[in-house]
Amino acid sequence: MGELNINFWSIAPQLVLICFGFLLMLIGGYTKVSKSGYLGQISALGIALAFMVNIYLFGSRKLGFSNIILFDELVGIFNAIFFVSGFLVCLLSDNYIEGKIKHTGEYYALILFAIAGMSFMVSALDFLILFLGLEMMSLSIYVLAGLFKQSERSIESAMKYFLLGSFSTAIFLLGVAFLYGAFGTTNFAYMLQHFTKYFMDGKSLPLLMGSALVFSGIVFKIAAVPFHMWTPDVYEGAPTTVTAFMATAVKAAAFSMLFRVYLLGLRGVVVDYAGIIAYLAVFTMTLGNLSALAQKSVKRMLAYSSIAHAGYLLVGFTSLNQIGLGAVIFYLISYALMNIGAFAIISFFEKETHSTELNHLSGKGFKHPFLGFMMVIFMFSLAGVPPTSGFAGKFYIFTGAIQSGYVSLAIIGVLNSAISAYYYLRVLVYMYFKDAEEPISNINISAPQVVAILISAIGVLNIGVLPGKLFDLTIKSVSFLF
Amino acid sequence: MEITINYYVILSCILFCIGVLGFIIRRNLLICFMSIELMLNSVNLLFVAYSHFLKTSLGLMYVFFIMAVAAAEVSIGLAIIIMLFRLKGTVDMDKLNILKG
């Protein structure tokens, strides 16, 4: 299939990340455990470099490695989401993992490898690369989830994530095998071109089975109904910074798979799938929101809320028009910022009280004015209150759905976000209107953590007040599909 | 009697279903883990069969990559199982019950 055109520019951001990952393992091995505090900054530097390379390449179109890797605007913008969430998580982990993980070099290296894997997933033009990127990401995250070796919760969440994750990978692979049998190749560009020919050619059974199995593998990673059961357990047990990473970057990577596979490779079935995805979106939103209402732990509540947000994102995907698909990417960006912020503040309080229960937050708002105010911003944004990015994202998503004629879907979505306001605002009620049960001690926040929180808060407000520019960018990145 | 591709497809589907059933029914984590390996190997069989009948080598490439990834998965999975055994002294799936709600 064509000559071997190796083009290292097409994987330049990933190469930077992998080099820094190895560097971190090396430095981590040679430094004393007590002096390893600066590793987080090094990894953040590595991610920032990769981000720079990404910006440098943005706007160009690079095809490499016998047409199996592509760098275009869609890849650039998804890369930006992964890099920003990874950057914030690296800064936030600073003193959260101190004392719990002995060799912190491994922790940061695994984050970088996971981001490189996501980046490969979104640049894949072939199922082979998609699969390898997926595994590179998943294997790193399995380890990250279980990195608090002394905590039973952490190990249990790693075990559950590992078992169900590899189960879904096997299903995904079976789908790929059927697609290979139908097409004789797994290149997305070839599949897109020859879809109807093979479909009419009596090969429709392996083709349909393959696309359905691949779809269920992707739905598992998105954590949508009916494959959502692992999410609350895994998110609750994993270290909070890792949970923040899983809820944002991994979810964005899963959506990038949906974009790559169903809008590029298997475009022929996507119209039939839109109906199924619409039902999935309704069930995912409703179930996520209703279950979140009953939660006592803030971390578990945010896990259910991440299921609900996956539902909103699926609404955007269902509409299959430029506004809807652009809005999905826009929402992923704003969701990454607000969710990492919220998880970060929970991780600070968790460090102090060793618990994520809601009633341990009582009275914290006035005692820690900075953290309290930031929590107000993030919770308002998650609930979708106007001057924040959460509102802008939901607005665009529902606009896209209405344009495609899914008015009922938009109405259900708005009702759902009204339900969700109850449990997001309840956190603020506990923080500001309840008296503290226990004497309040100081919270030790380091400078990188303050920087990370400020970046996410300013990002949330900035995107919320002036959404136009970013939205134009996201729309432009999906315009090649139309 | 000629052996067609369908025999291989059906065989690997049966193997895959045995793997799925084993994963769902058995309560021992090691056995669940082996069931996942069985599922991956049935996929490998399907790739080899398609590769033979379609006369392209891509399927064989997939098999090598899947085997390498499965090996990495085994090392991580066994490490997690060992840590779990150290903390709890059991590898029973029903004992994974701290996280719920």
Side-chain angles (χ1 to χ4, degrees):
Chain A
M1 241 184 293
E3 79 282 14
L4 191 71
N5 60 331
I6 291 172
N7 182 356
F8 279 106
W9 280 113
S10 60
I11 57 164
Q14 289 97 314
L15 285 179
V16 174
L17 287 172
I18 291 170
C19 289
F20 265 86
F22 284 127
L23 191 72
L24 275 165
M25 288 208 285
L26 210 61
I27 301 175
Y30 279 102
T31 42
K32 289 207 178 79
V33 173
S34 56
K35 287 182 182 165
S36 56
Y38 58 91
L39 289 174
Q41 277 98 305
I42 296 181
S43 54
L45 178 75
I47 297 174
L49 261 178
F51 189 77
M52 271 7 153
V53 174
N54 191 40
I55 287 184
Y56 172 71
L57 292 174
F58 193 77
S60 59
R61 190 186 150 84
K62 312 241 180 258
L63 202 61
F65 299 91
S66 307
N67 303 340
I68 56 172
I69 288 188
L70 171 73
F71 185 97
D72 61 2
E73 282 183 341
L74 186 70
V75 177
I77 209 152
F78 266 111
N79 272 349
I81 302 176
F82 307 146
F83 295 165
V84 168
S85 20
F87 180 79
L88 294 174
V89 167
C90 282
L91 289 183
L92 287 168
S93 308
D94 192 40
N95 68 25
Y96 178 72
I97 59 170
E98 206 172 77
K100 298 235 174 102
I101 297 174
K102 205 171 167 199
H103 300 288
T104 48
E106 296 165 5
Y107 173 87
Y108 294 114
L110 283 169
I111 288 188
L112 294 198
F113 290 144
I115 301 173
M118 295 169 191
S119 211
F120 274 119
M121 273 162 78
V122 63
S123 14
L125 262 192
D126 194 295
F127 268 115
L128 188 58
I129 300 296
L130 188 78
F131 164 65
L132 291 178
L134 174 69
E135 283 303 288
M136 194 170 168
M137 175 190 86
S138 309
L139 293 179
S140 310
I141 304 279
Y142 300 149
V143 181
L144 279 173
L147 220 45
F148 282 6
K149 288 182 205 158
Q150 305 307 323
S151 145
E152 273 189 43
R153 307 168 80 84
S154 172
I155 303 294
E156 185 177 323
S157 94
M159 192 73 241
K160 283 182 174 166
Y161 193 29
F162 172 77
L163 279 178
L164 294 170
S166 29
F167 184 74
S168 81
T169 306
I171 290 177
F172 176 83
L173 271 177
L174 186 68
V176 176
F178 277 124
L179 289 175
Y180 170 63
F183 286 103
T185 168
T186 50
N187 194 295
F188 292 159
Y190 183 86
M191 285 181 176
L192 185 62
Q193 261 177 4
H194 298 87
F195 190 86
T196 25
K197 187 182 122 207
Y198 283 98
F199 195 73
M200 296 300 160
D201 214 20
K203 288 194 171 168
S204 57
L205 186 63
L207 210 159
L208 290 178
M209 269 180 78
S211 54
L213 288 166
V214 167
F215 181 70
S216 46
I218 295 175
V219 168
F220 175 90
K221 288 286 168 197
I222 290 173
V225 172
F227 303 110
H228 65 284
M229 294 305 293
W230 57 278
T231 322
D233 285 358
V234 172
Y235 281 21
E236 192 191 351
T240 308
T241 44
V242 176
T243 309
F245 190 60
M246 284 200 278
T248 55
V250 175
K251 194 159 288 223
F255 269 94
S256 79
M257 269 207 288
L258 205 56
F259 272 73
R260 274 292 173 220
V261 175
Y262 284 93
L263 295 178
L264 212 59
L266 301 170
R267 193 99 187 257
V269 291
V270 79
V271 180
D272 306 318
Y273 273 51
I276 303 171
I277 297 177
Y279 279 107
L280 287 187
V282 170
F283 287 123
T284 309
M285 289 190 287
T286 317
L287 193 135
N289 279 323
L290 291 182
S291 317
L293 289 177
Q295 298 310 316
K296 294 271 190 308
S297 154
V298 188
K299 209 167 156 189
R300 204 175 174 87
M301 180 209 92
L302 281 178
Y304 276 111
S305 103
S306 92
I307 299 177
H309 283 281
Y312 302 136
L313 288 160
L314 285 176
V315 170
F317 192 82
T318 310
S319 52
L320 285 179
N321 56 22
Q322 210 166 347
I323 291 184
L325 293 177
V328 171
I329 301 176
F330 182 90
Y331 199 82
L332 281 170
I333 297 171
S334 71
Y335 176 67
L337 290 171
M338 60 204 186
N339 218 23
I340 286 183
F343 273 117
I345 290 169
I346 291 169
S347 80
F348 299 150
F349 289 131
E350 188 192 352
K351 185 96 179 156
E352 184 203 349
T353 58
H354 303 289
S355 148
T356 54
E357 296 293 306
L358 199 51
N359 50 11
H360 280 115
L361 285 180
S362 5
K364 291 280 162 66
F366 288 118
K367 298 285 175 188
H368 303 288
F370 173 68
L371 293 183
F373 180 62
M374 291 297 147
M375 196 63 162
V376 171
I377 296 178
F378 297 132
M379 285 297 148
F380 273 9
S381 182
L382 282 164
V385 177
T388 55
S389 62
F391 171 74
K394 279 194 183 121
F395 176 76
Y396 288 131
I397 280 189
F398 296 140
T399 311
I402 288 171
Q403 269 203 357
S404 290
Y406 289 102
V407 180
S408 53
L409 209 54
I411 292 172
I412 296 173
V414 172
L415 287 178
N416 260 295
S417 64
I419 299 175
S420 75
Y422 170 75
Y423 60 81
Y424 289 127
L425 298 183
R426 192 173 56 180
V427 175
L428 301 181
V429 168
Y430 267 88
M431 285 182 82
Y432 281 101
F433 301 114
K434 297 237 171 167
D435 292 330
E437 289 169 353
E438 59 224 57
I440 287 179
S441 51
N442 280 332
I443 292 185
N444 197 2
I445 312 173
S446 66
Q449 290 174 324
V450 175
V451 172
I453 293 233
L454 280 177
I455 291 176
S456 24
I458 291 170
V460 164
L461 290 177
N462 189 19
I463 298 173
V465 176
L466 305 163
K469 224 174 185 176
L470 184 67
F471 189 57
D472 288 341
L473 200 67
T474 55
I475 280 203
K476 222 179 106 206
S477 72
V478 295
S479 61
F480 73 96
L481 295 165
F482 298 95
Chain B
M1 187 181 75
E2 199 198 345
I3 305 285
T4 60
I5 179 77
N6 290 340
Y7 290 82
Y8 290 98
V9 175
I10 291 165
L11 175 64
S12 48
C13 282
I14 291 172
L15 281 177
F16 194 87
C17 291
I18 293 174
V20 171
L21 281 178
F23 181 79
I24 293 170
I25 293 170
R26 297 302 292 265
R27 297 283 90 189
N28 187 318
L29 285 171
L30 283 167
I31 308 265
C32 289
F33 196 44
M34 283 154 68
S35 306
I36 290 174
E37 293 302 308
L38 182 63
M39 287 159 73
L40 287 177
N41 280 324
S42 74
V43 173
N44 278 346
L45 178 68
L46 191 59
F47 267 117
V48 173
Y50 273 134
S51 178
H52 178 76
F53 281 93
L54 294 167
K55 307 255 179 315
T56 57
S57 58
L58 183 67
L60 302 177
M61 259 166 64
Y62 263 100
V63 173
F64 281 116
F65 279 114
I66 292 173
M67 279 188 334
V69 166
E73 230 171 46
V74 167
S75 61
I76 286 175
L78 286 180
I80 297 175
I81 291 180
I82 287 172
M83 287 201 292
L84 192 78
F85 187 76
R86 272 190 194 150
L87 283 177
K88 295 198 171 198
T90 172
V91 286
D92 192 343
M93 211 190 235
D94 294 329
K95 297 285 181 329
L96 292 176
N97 54 7
I98 304 178
L99 302 166
K100 61 185 172 208

